[in-house]
Amino acid sequence: MASNPFLSPAARAGGLELGRLSALIIDESELLRSVLSRMLRDLGIPAVQAARRPEEARRMIKAALQPYDIILSEFHFSRQAAHDLSGQDLLDELRQSKGLPMQTAFIMVTDEARHPQVAAALEGALDDYLLKPITSGQFEERLRIVLERKAAFKEVFQAIEAGDYAGAAERCERMFREGGPYKVYAARIGSELYLRLKELEAARRMLESLLAHKAVPWARLGLARIALEGADPEQACRSLETLLAENPAYVDAYDVYGRALLEKMDFEAAAEVFGKAVQISPGNVSRLQKLGSLQLYLGDSGAAAEHLGAALDIGAHSRALDYQGVVALAVASLDVGGKQGLADIERAHKFLQEALTLHPDSARLRMLMKALDVVLALQLRQAEAASAGLAELAAQLARPECSFEMGACLIQLMARAAGTQALPGAMDWAARATQRFSVSHQRTRLLELAAARLPAMQELVRESAAAINEQAREAMGHLVNRQPELTLRALVALAARSLNGRIIKLAQATLEHHGQHLNAALAQRLGAEIAMLQPEVAARPIVRRGS
């Protein structure tokens, strides 16, 4: 099969063998599935499977022993339920949950009427699209181009899989400088890698060079992301507003625009933007959960329950579903109340209980399950059980598994519980959660919103955040008097008390800059104390499915 003239000599020399490739066709039409399957087999690709709908394809992709090399999917599917997936929803979900290897070629199939929508989806890392009616000549040519491009980037993809992002980025930059047929694709992959590596100037250089010759929306989006990473959300917003005015269906741009608005702390506008993204891709689990969780902070519990419930409906078998969003659904449903609220709480509780049964060693799942127990107790007016559960959650505030989202959830639950029952420890627990998780203006404001149902607690959150900032400023003030030892002792003590990630990083940076002015033994001891705190706040991947 390696000698098949369908492929270029370079692709064959690179080891691309059609006989070893596998393909998945996703289409409701039995006729089109048959036609595409025959075309693939005629080209020498024997391992071809088919699915009628994206939901079935999702299960097949998840269960496959080896990733499919080619996925051909219809863009539009008939709606059998309100939140059925489209081809774009499946593509987005696979990308966002890292369920689509870069070596896999994803090609969308559509009709002329939906061509603009698919062209917008192409900006979201789609490899290509085919317009109906599909001729064998068109199919062969487009598939050949996609497969040869994948083959040309084989070493780049291997480096990425091995975690060598710097090596992969450098190879992409060489390919970009050398020109050739894959220059644009090299810029796309390379700029993404440089962004991941936080090498913003390298990413900017590549994108601006490309835009000087070719106007592509994804490159403009990349520059907006660079502005956002560079702490310039105003510039990012201006760029994104222009981009979206010209490309209103570019759903990835709404994601970044929403992030920029969050950085500006314009949460209401961010919710509106995320809402537009959900309108474009109503079957996208991650976007539904992001929108619903933000609406819960903003006090719109009805809309939050609607969107978070839809995410659970769609994503119960998806790696894109975040268990924290299931807890947020229960909290929103507690606010909604009534039979529907209780039904959604029980549904969330059952779902997480089943997940915990599958993953009994997951500390994060156990913590989330305890939060759901508290929600259910509050719904059933079981005050003693709710108080005991909140005390157990508060005891977890110093644990590595306790994330910002979990701390905010604790505050949300305490604000609801304390308004209806005696909860002696609530204020102390809220202060501790704030001390640990008020690492930025944005997060502090979210903690304030989490406490909004109890004004006294909201004010406490505000005061606790201000207090830790003031203590950090006082500690840094000793540097003015050239007393780095006093600064470092104060920062390390504050970091140990609060476990605040920003304070720990500040202590580490201060030691690196001023440690040479300390006694060597003291500098070593302070460094060890800071290092002991690091595991408590080290970045951890978001667990979606039971780790």
Side-chain angles (χ1 to χ4, degrees), residues 149-184:
R149 184 172 63 210
K150 292 288 186 180
F153 282 80
K154 180 180 179 180
E155 292 183 11
V156 171
F157 298 151
Q158 288 175 338
I160 292 171
E161 290 175 3
D164 182 12
Y165 302 130
E170 290 168 5
R171 184 170 183 81
C172 285
E173 186 154 22
R174 285 199 304 272
M175 296 173 75
F176 176 71
R177 289 198 305 266
E178 292 166 0
Y182 306 122
K183 176 178 179 176
V184 174

mmCIF file of all heavy atoms in Angstrom, residues 149-184:
data_model
loop_
_atom_site.group_PDB
_atom_site.id
_atom_site.type_symbol
_atom_site.label_atom_id
_atom_site.label_comp_id
_atom_site.label_asym_id
_atom_site.label_seq_id
_atom_site.Cartn_x
_atom_site.Cartn_y
_atom_site.Cartn_z
ATOM 1 N N ARG A 149 -0.145 16.933 4.443
ATOM 2 C CA ARG A 149 0.205 17.972 5.417
ATOM 3 C C ARG A 149 0.443 17.344 6.791
ATOM 4 O O ARG A 149 1.385 17.704 7.493
ATOM 5 C CB ARG A 149 -0.905 19.014 5.492
ATOM 6 C CG ARG A 149 -0.575 20.182 6.413
ATOM 7 C CD ARG A 149 -1.616 21.274 6.285
ATOM 8 N NE ARG A 149 -2.922 20.792 6.714
ATOM 9 C CZ ARG A 149 -4.078 21.235 6.234
ATOM 10 N NH1 ARG A 149 -4.098 22.140 5.270
ATOM 11 N NH2 ARG A 149 -5.221 20.769 6.699
ATOM 12 N N LYS A 150 -0.411 16.410 7.176
ATOM 13 C CA LYS A 150 -0.211 15.717 8.452
ATOM 14 C C LYS A 150 1.120 14.979 8.460
ATOM 15 O O LYS A 150 1.852 14.979 9.462
ATOM 16 C CB LYS A 150 -1.358 14.742 8.704
ATOM 17 C CG LYS A 150 -2.715 15.391 8.954
ATOM 18 C CD LYS A 150 -2.789 16.054 10.320
ATOM 19 C CE LYS A 150 -4.186 16.574 10.607
ATOM 20 N NZ LYS A 150 -4.287 17.226 11.924
ATOM 21 N N ALA A 151 1.446 14.339 7.341
ATOM 22 C CA ALA A 151 2.711 13.599 7.256
ATOM 23 C C ALA A 151 3.902 14.543 7.367
ATOM 24 O O ALA A 151 4.912 14.220 8.007
ATOM 25 C CB ALA A 151 2.763 12.822 5.946
ATOM 26 N N ALA A 152 3.787 15.734 6.768
ATOM 27 C CA ALA A 152 4.889 16.693 6.811
ATOM 28 C C ALA A 152 5.159 17.189 8.236
ATOM 29 O O ALA A 152 6.279 17.588 8.555
ATOM 30 C CB ALA A 152 4.572 17.876 5.893
ATOM 31 N N PHE A 153 4.137 17.153 9.084
ATOM 32 C CA PHE A 153 4.282 17.625 10.455
ATOM 33 C C PHE A 153 4.418 16.474 11.456
ATOM 34 O O PHE A 153 4.251 16.680 12.661
ATOM 35 C CB PHE A 153 3.081 18.507 10.831
ATOM 36 C CG PHE A 153 3.175 19.896 10.272
ATOM 37 C CD1 PHE A 153 2.850 20.144 8.957
ATOM 38 C CD2 PHE A 153 3.622 20.946 11.058
ATOM 39 C CE1 PHE A 153 2.943 21.422 8.421
ATOM 40 C CE2 PHE A 153 3.718 22.223 10.537
ATOM 41 C CZ PHE A 153 3.383 22.472 9.210
ATOM 42 N N LYS A 154 4.738 15.304 10.970
ATOM 43 C CA LYS A 154 4.828 14.126 11.838
ATOM 44 C C LYS A 154 5.804 14.351 12.989
ATOM 45 O O LYS A 154 5.504 14.060 14.154
ATOM 46 C CB LYS A 154 5.251 12.906 11.016
ATOM 47 C CG LYS A 154 5.366 11.626 11.826
ATOM 48 C CD LYS A 154 5.779 10.454 10.941
ATOM 49 C CE LYS A 154 5.928 9.165 11.745
ATOM 50 N NZ LYS A 154 6.331 8.017 10.879
ATOM 51 N N GLU A 155 6.986 14.888 12.681
ATOM 52 C CA GLU A 155 7.986 15.099 13.736
ATOM 53 C C GLU A 155 7.525 16.164 14.731
ATOM 54 O O GLU A 155 7.824 16.077 15.931
ATOM 55 C CB GLU A 155 9.325 15.486 13.112
ATOM 56 C CG GLU A 155 9.972 14.354 12.315
ATOM 57 C CD GLU A 155 11.344 14.754 11.775
ATOM 58 O OE1 GLU A 155 11.861 15.811 12.196
ATOM 59 O OE2 GLU A 155 11.890 14.025 10.938
ATOM 60 N N VAL A 156 6.815 17.178 14.244
ATOM 61 C CA VAL A 156 6.279 18.205 15.133
ATOM 62 C C VAL A 156 5.291 17.576 16.109
ATOM 63 O O VAL A 156 5.345 17.809 17.322
ATOM 64 C CB VAL A 156 5.593 19.324 14.320
ATOM 65 C CG1 VAL A 156 4.848 20.281 15.263
ATOM 66 C CG2 VAL A 156 6.609 20.085 13.497
ATOM 67 N N PHE A 157 4.369 16.766 15.580
ATOM 68 C CA PHE A 157 3.365 16.133 16.433
ATOM 69 C C PHE A 157 4.003 15.177 17.431
ATOM 70 O O PHE A 157 3.579 15.094 18.581
ATOM 71 C CB PHE A 157 2.336 15.395 15.576
ATOM 72 C CG PHE A 157 1.555 16.288 14.649
ATOM 73 C CD1 PHE A 157 1.056 15.807 13.447
ATOM 74 C CD2 PHE A 157 1.316 17.609 14.972
ATOM 75 C CE1 PHE A 157 0.346 16.629 12.593
ATOM 76 C CE2 PHE A 157 0.607 18.443 14.127
ATOM 77 C CZ PHE A 157 0.118 17.950 12.936
ATOM 78 N N GLN A 158 5.030 14.455 16.999
ATOM 79 C CA GLN A 158 5.725 13.535 17.911
ATOM 80 C C GLN A 158 6.399 14.304 19.046
ATOM 81 O O GLN A 158 6.375 13.864 20.199
ATOM 82 C CB GLN A 158 6.746 12.708 17.137
ATOM 83 C CG GLN A 158 6.130 11.651 16.222
ATOM 84 C CD GLN A 158 7.171 10.928 15.384
ATOM 85 O OE1 GLN A 158 8.278 11.438 15.158
ATOM 86 N NE2 GLN A 158 6.824 9.740 14.911
ATOM 87 N N ALA A 159 6.987 15.452 18.712
ATOM 88 C CA ALA A 159 7.625 16.271 19.749
ATOM 89 C C ALA A 159 6.586 16.786 20.738
ATOM 90 O O ALA A 159 6.820 16.805 21.949
ATOM 91 C CB ALA A 159 8.379 17.429 19.105
ATOM 92 N N ILE A 160 5.422 17.191 20.230
ATOM 93 C CA ILE A 160 4.363 17.680 21.112
ATOM 94 C C ILE A 160 3.896 16.565 22.040
ATOM 95 O O ILE A 160 3.728 16.772 23.246
ATOM 96 C CB ILE A 160 3.186 18.234 20.279
ATOM 97 C CG1 ILE A 160 3.613 19.503 19.550
ATOM 98 C CG2 ILE A 160 1.977 18.511 21.168
ATOM 99 C CD1 ILE A 160 2.609 20.009 18.555
ATOM 100 N N GLU A 161 3.684 15.366 21.492
ATOM 101 C CA GLU A 161 3.244 14.235 22.314
ATOM 102 C C GLU A 161 4.269 13.891 23.376
ATOM 103 O O GLU A 161 3.921 13.431 24.465
ATOM 104 C CB GLU A 161 2.967 13.028 21.423
ATOM 105 C CG GLU A 161 1.724 13.196 20.541
ATOM 106 C CD GLU A 161 1.542 12.035 19.573
ATOM 107 O OE1 GLU A 161 2.342 11.078 19.639
ATOM 108 O OE2 GLU A 161 0.612 12.099 18.752
ATOM 109 N N ALA A 162 5.564 14.123 23.072
ATOM 110 C CA ALA A 162 6.632 13.836 24.038
ATOM 111 C C ALA A 162 6.830 14.977 25.030
ATOM 112 O O ALA A 162 7.667 14.885 25.928
ATOM 113 C CB ALA A 162 7.938 13.567 23.293
ATOM 114 N N GLY A 163 6.057 16.057 24.871
ATOM 115 C CA GLY A 163 6.181 17.191 25.773
ATOM 116 C C GLY A 163 7.284 18.170 25.411
ATOM 117 O O GLY A 163 7.566 19.103 26.169
ATOM 118 N N ASP A 164 7.897 17.980 24.242
ATOM 119 C CA ASP A 164 8.969 18.879 23.798
ATOM 120 C C ASP A 164 8.361 20.019 22.995
ATOM 121 O O ASP A 164 8.514 20.107 21.776
ATOM 122 C CB ASP A 164 9.989 18.103 22.956
ATOM 123 C CG ASP A 164 11.172 18.968 22.507
ATOM 124 O OD1 ASP A 164 11.304 20.094 23.039
ATOM 125 O OD2 ASP A 164 11.940 18.526 21.624
ATOM 126 N N TYR A 165 7.663 20.913 23.688
ATOM 127 C CA TYR A 165 6.973 22.005 23.005
ATOM 128 C C TYR A 165 7.961 22.985 22.372
ATOM 129 O O TYR A 165 7.690 23.534 21.292
ATOM 130 C CB TYR A 165 6.055 22.734 23.980
ATOM 131 C CG TYR A 165 5.033 21.832 24.628
ATOM 132 C CD1 TYR A 165 4.857 21.824 26.011
ATOM 133 C CD2 TYR A 165 4.252 20.976 23.870
ATOM 134 C CE1 TYR A 165 3.920 20.994 26.611
ATOM 135 C CE2 TYR A 165 3.312 20.136 24.453
ATOM 136 C CZ TYR A 165 3.162 20.149 25.824
ATOM 137 O OH TYR A 165 2.243 19.323 26.417
ATOM 138 N N ALA A 166 9.084 23.222 23.052
ATOM 139 C CA ALA A 166 10.071 24.151 22.502
ATOM 140 C C ALA A 166 10.649 23.617 21.198
ATOM 141 O O ALA A 166 10.767 24.346 20.209
ATOM 142 C CB ALA A 166 11.182 24.393 23.525
ATOM 143 N N GLY A 167 10.983 22.335 21.176
ATOM 144 C CA GLY A 167 11.516 21.736 19.952
ATOM 145 C C GLY A 167 10.507 21.758 18.825
ATOM 146 O O GLY A 167 10.842 22.039 17.665
ATOM 147 N N ALA A 168 9.248 21.478 19.155
ATOM 148 C CA ALA A 168 8.190 21.495 18.144
ATOM 149 C C ALA A 168 7.999 22.907 17.595
ATOM 150 O O ALA A 168 7.833 23.105 16.384
ATOM 151 C CB ALA A 168 6.885 20.976 18.736
ATOM 152 N N ALA A 169 8.034 23.913 18.481
ATOM 153 C CA ALA A 169 7.855 25.304 18.043
ATOM 154 C C ALA A 169 9.003 25.743 17.145
ATOM 155 O O ALA A 169 8.785 26.417 16.123
ATOM 156 C CB ALA A 169 7.752 26.217 19.262
ATOM 157 N N GLU A 170 10.217 25.377 17.503
ATOM 158 C CA GLU A 170 11.370 25.754 16.684
ATOM 159 C C GLU A 170 11.291 25.120 15.301
ATOM 160 O O GLU A 170 11.631 25.763 14.295
ATOM 161 C CB GLU A 170 12.660 25.332 17.387
ATOM 162 C CG GLU A 170 12.966 26.161 18.633
ATOM 163 C CD GLU A 170 14.065 25.564 19.476
ATOM 164 O OE1 GLU A 170 14.662 24.539 19.033
ATOM 165 O OE2 GLU A 170 14.338 26.091 20.570
ATOM 166 N N ARG A 171 10.826 23.881 15.232
ATOM 167 C CA ARG A 171 10.698 23.228 13.929
ATOM 168 C C ARG A 171 9.622 23.930 13.090
ATOM 169 O O ARG A 171 9.787 24.138 11.888
ATOM 170 C CB ARG A 171 10.353 21.748 14.102
ATOM 171 C CG ARG A 171 10.295 21.006 12.774
ATOM 172 C CD ARG A 171 10.206 19.501 12.956
ATOM 173 N NE ARG A 171 10.221 18.825 11.676
ATOM 174 C CZ ARG A 171 11.299 18.556 10.969
ATOM 175 N NH1 ARG A 171 12.495 18.916 11.437
ATOM 176 N NH2 ARG A 171 11.232 17.952 9.799
ATOM 177 N N CYS A 172 8.523 24.310 13.723
ATOM 178 C CA CYS A 172 7.484 25.048 13.002
ATOM 179 C C CYS A 172 8.013 26.380 12.488
ATOM 180 O O CYS A 172 7.702 26.788 11.361
ATOM 181 C CB CYS A 172 6.283 25.290 13.915
ATOM 182 S SG CYS A 172 5.247 23.844 14.192
ATOM 183 N N GLU A 173 8.825 27.051 13.307
ATOM 184 C CA GLU A 173 9.353 28.344 12.861
ATOM 185 C C GLU A 173 10.301 28.169 11.677
ATOM 186 O O GLU A 173 10.302 29.004 10.756
ATOM 187 C CB GLU A 173 10.059 29.048 14.012
ATOM 188 C CG GLU A 173 10.505 30.444 13.658
ATOM 189 C CD GLU A 173 10.635 31.374 14.846
ATOM 190 O OE1 GLU A 173 10.781 30.864 15.970
ATOM 191 O OE2 GLU A 173 10.590 32.603 14.644
ATOM 192 N N ARG A 174 11.084 27.104 11.673
ATOM 193 C CA ARG A 174 11.952 26.845 10.520
ATOM 194 C C ARG A 174 11.117 26.626 9.261
ATOM 195 O O ARG A 174 11.421 27.169 8.201
ATOM 196 C CB ARG A 174 12.840 25.621 10.771
ATOM 197 C CG ARG A 174 14.000 25.870 11.716
ATOM 198 C CD ARG A 174 15.078 24.806 11.564
ATOM 199 N NE ARG A 174 14.549 23.458 11.749
ATOM 200 C CZ ARG A 174 14.452 22.856 12.923
ATOM 201 N NH1 ARG A 174 14.827 23.492 14.031
ATOM 202 N NH2 ARG A 174 13.996 21.629 13.006
ATOM 203 N N MET A 175 10.062 25.820 9.383
ATOM 204 C CA MET A 175 9.197 25.568 8.240
ATOM 205 C C MET A 175 8.521 26.852 7.775
ATOM 206 O O MET A 175 8.332 27.068 6.567
ATOM 207 C CB MET A 175 8.150 24.510 8.601
ATOM 208 C CG MET A 175 8.738 23.146 8.924
ATOM 209 S SD MET A 175 7.498 21.957 9.532
ATOM 210 C CE MET A 175 6.642 21.566 8.007
ATOM 211 N N PHE A 176 8.177 27.715 8.718
ATOM 212 C CA PHE A 176 7.542 28.978 8.370
ATOM 213 C C PHE A 176 8.516 29.876 7.609
ATOM 214 O O PHE A 176 8.171 30.465 6.576
ATOM 215 C CB PHE A 176 7.057 29.665 9.644
ATOM 216 C CG PHE A 176 6.466 31.028 9.416
ATOM 217 C CD1 PHE A 176 5.239 31.178 8.791
ATOM 218 C CD2 PHE A 176 7.144 32.165 9.834
ATOM 219 C CE1 PHE A 176 4.690 32.432 8.584
ATOM 220 C CE2 PHE A 176 6.602 33.432 9.633
ATOM 221 C CZ PHE A 176 5.376 33.560 9.001
ATOM 222 N N ARG A 177 9.757 29.974 8.103
ATOM 223 C CA ARG A 177 10.755 30.825 7.445
ATOM 224 C C ARG A 177 11.121 30.305 6.060
ATOM 225 O O ARG A 177 11.364 31.072 5.135
ATOM 226 C CB ARG A 177 12.018 30.928 8.305
ATOM 227 C CG ARG A 177 11.840 31.748 9.578
ATOM 228 C CD ARG A 177 13.200 32.157 10.128
ATOM 229 N NE ARG A 177 14.066 30.992 10.327
ATOM 230 C CZ ARG A 177 14.193 30.337 11.456
ATOM 231 N NH1 ARG A 177 13.495 30.709 12.514
ATOM 232 N NH2 ARG A 177 15.014 29.302 11.554
ATOM 233 N N GLU A 178 11.164 28.984 5.927
ATOM 234 C CA GLU A 178 11.545 28.391 4.642
ATOM 235 C C GLU A 178 10.451 28.525 3.590
ATOM 236 O O GLU A 178 10.695 28.327 2.402
ATOM 237 C CB GLU A 178 11.888 26.910 4.850
ATOM 238 C CG GLU A 178 13.163 26.700 5.662
ATOM 239 C CD GLU A 178 13.314 25.262 6.145
ATOM 240 O OE1 GLU A 178 12.413 24.441 5.830
ATOM 241 O OE2 GLU A 178 14.308 24.969 6.828
ATOM 242 N N GLY A 179 9.237 28.862 4.021
ATOM 243 C CA GLY A 179 8.136 28.985 3.068
ATOM 244 C C GLY A 179 7.628 27.617 2.661
ATOM 245 O O GLY A 179 7.642 26.674 3.436
ATOM 246 N N GLY A 180 7.173 27.507 1.451
ATOM 247 C CA GLY A 180 6.661 26.227 0.994
ATOM 248 C C GLY A 180 5.170 26.110 1.218
ATOM 249 O O GLY A 180 4.511 27.025 1.740
ATOM 250 N N PRO A 181 4.600 24.963 0.870
ATOM 251 C CA PRO A 181 3.139 24.808 0.908
ATOM 252 C C PRO A 181 2.542 24.786 2.309
ATOM 253 O O PRO A 181 1.332 24.959 2.458
ATOM 254 C CB PRO A 181 2.917 23.467 0.204
ATOM 255 C CG PRO A 181 4.204 22.706 0.410
ATOM 256 C CD PRO A 181 5.276 23.751 0.366
ATOM 257 N N TYR A 182 3.366 24.575 3.333
ATOM 258 C CA TYR A 182 2.829 24.442 4.689
ATOM 259 C C TYR A 182 3.191 25.615 5.590
ATOM 260 O O TYR A 182 3.132 25.513 6.820
ATOM 261 C CB TYR A 182 3.320 23.130 5.308
ATOM 262 C CG TYR A 182 3.016 21.931 4.456
ATOM 263 C CD1 TYR A 182 4.033 21.090 4.004
ATOM 264 C CD2 TYR A 182 1.714 21.650 4.060
ATOM 265 C CE1 TYR A 182 3.751 19.996 3.207
ATOM 266 C CE2 TYR A 182 1.422 20.557 3.252
ATOM 267 C CZ TYR A 182 2.450 19.737 2.834
ATOM 268 O OH TYR A 182 2.169 18.660 2.036
ATOM 269 N N LYS A 183 3.535 26.746 4.993
ATOM 270 C CA LYS A 183 3.956 27.908 5.763
ATOM 271 C C LYS A 183 2.860 28.377 6.719
ATOM 272 O O LYS A 183 3.111 28.623 7.902
ATOM 273 C CB LYS A 183 4.338 29.042 4.808
ATOM 274 C CG LYS A 183 4.695 30.341 5.513
ATOM 275 C CD LYS A 183 5.104 31.420 4.526
ATOM 276 C CE LYS A 183 5.438 32.716 5.263
ATOM 277 N NZ LYS A 183 5.924 33.771 4.348
ATOM 278 N N VAL A 184 1.629 28.476 6.220
ATOM 279 C CA VAL A 184 0.534 28.980 7.046
ATOM 280 C C VAL A 184 0.225 28.011 8.183
ATOM 281 O O VAL A 184 0.022 28.418 9.334
ATOM 282 C CB VAL A 184 -0.719 29.229 6.179
ATOM 283 C CG1 VAL A 184 -1.914 29.612 7.050
ATOM 284 C CG2 VAL A 184 -0.448 30.325 5.152
#
